[in-house]
Amino acid sequence: DSGVTQTPKHLITATGQRVTLRCSPRSGDLSVYWYQQSLDQGLQFLIQYYNGEERAKGNILERFSAQQFPDLHSELNLSSLELGDSALYFCASSVASRQYNEQFFGPGTRLTVL
Amino acid sequence: AQSVAQPEDQVNVAEGNPLTVKCTYSVSGNPYLFWYVQYPNRGLQFLLKYITGDNLVKGSYGFEAEFNKSQTSFHLKKPSALVSDSALYFCAVREPQTGANNLFFGTGTRLTVIP
């Protein structure tokens, strides 16, 4: 158990809908990262927050957004969902934002868009 | 731009034999390299990392990896494979010079240890 929690574990929804994925980092970790894992794209970095501030953006679609709250939990919002958004979404956390810090991953949220 | 290649989609090894999972990278300057393992229906678990120093890095569950700068490789190894090592293994890199903090992952190698 990495100490990173993600809810829900599974989410099934329809195209055009909006969903929110939630992540609680390990105790003491200030940095949160979101990744998407799909069969065709592999593991792709979406976005990073550090202590409430957006720190880096990767291949995140404009339909997707995220935030980190004062208690350091983070939410990833996915809107106008398409079939291709079906994937496993991981949250990871690290103690700081140093490049040598390893990241600890949550169990993921499996999103299925029908 | 940084990139990571895991040339083998699948590696099969007999239990008790040594195992190697290959990884090569391409970055500007010196890389930070990581190995993660993913078990079915689980998140990624950190195994080990190379930042600087000794080229042989020891990690969790008896795994180790050797950083080879001339060959731009960071192969994962274990002297004696266990059936429980069967999983999906990911190599990842960070490129310090870019200032980017996210991990850039390879496509993964599925390791199967045959009893």
Side-chain angles (χ1 to χ4, degrees):
Chain A
D1 184 2
S2 67
V4 179
T5 60
Q6 290 186 246
T7 56
K9 281 189 177 180
H10 303 277
L11 201 46
I12 301 174
T13 188
T15 54
Q17 295 298 304
R18 171 190 168 96
V19 297
T20 297
L21 314 184
R22 182 188 168 102
C23 167
S24 292
R26 293 189 319 159
S27 176
D29 283 0
L30 299 177
S31 208
V32 169
Y33 309 78
W34 286 97
Y35 291 85
Q36 179 194 58
Q37 185 180 34
S38 62
L39 284 175
D40 54 343
Q41 298 286 338
L43 260 168
Q44 298 226 356
F45 168 68
L46 295 178
I47 196 164
Q48 178 204 357
Y49 279 81
Y50 176 74
N51 204 20
E53 301 285 329
E54 181 184 305
R55 182 60 66 95
K57 259 186 174 179
N59 298 322
I60 188 166
L61 300 171
E62 285 192 12
R63 300 183 285 108
F64 296 180
S65 65
Q67 53 185 327
Q68 186 180 27
F69 294 86
D71 67 352
L72 300 177
H73 91 271
S74 178
E75 292 181 357
L76 179 67
N77 300 296
L78 315 176
S79 61
S80 302
L81 285 168
E82 302 174 359
L83 295 178
D85 298 328
S86 296
L88 198 48
Y89 291 85
F90 287 111
C91 167
S93 72
S94 63
V95 64
S97 192
R98 303 279 192 270
Q99 291 176 320
Y100 49 78
N101 292 138
E102 59 267 33
Q103 297 173 17
F104 294 88
F105 283 73
T109 292
R110 183 170 295 281
L111 173 67
T112 302
V113 182
L114 301 175
Chain B
Q2 57 196 352
S3 67
V4 175
Q6 293 182 244
E8 300 160 317
D9 291 336
Q10 174 84 41
V11 170
N12 297 326
V13 63
E15 186 177 22
N17 282 4
L19 70 87
T20 299
V21 182
K22 296 179 181 176
C23 171
T24 59
Y25 65 89
S26 175
V27 300
S28 301
N30 296 317
Y32 292 162
L33 294 157
F34 302 78
W35 274 102
Y36 283 81
V37 59
Q38 185 178 23
Y39 296 100
N41 302 314
R42 302 279 294 278
L44 279 74
Q45 293 180 32
F46 168 74
L47 281 178
L48 50 79
K49 66 181 178 182
Y50 172 82
I51 302 301
T52 187
D54 194 348
N55 288 342
L56 185 63
V57 178
K58 294 191 183 296
S60 307
Y61 313 119
F63 284 94
E64 59 189 27
E66 186 167 11
F67 172 65
N68 188 317
K69 188 171 183 178
S70 62
Q71 297 186 6
T72 62
S73 67
F74 189 55
H75 300 333
L76 182 70
K77 299 182 180 186
K78 188 173 182 182
S80 179
L82 301 173
V83 173
S84 58
D85 293 330
S86 298
L88 191 55
Y89 289 81
F90 289 96
C91 181
V93 66
R94 277 202 192 109
E95 191 174 53
Q97 285 73 12
T98 66
N101 203 21
N102 57 285
L103 291 167
F104 190 87
F105 285 90
T107 51
T109 298
R110 186 165 299 281
L111 173 69
T112 301
V113 181
I114 303 162

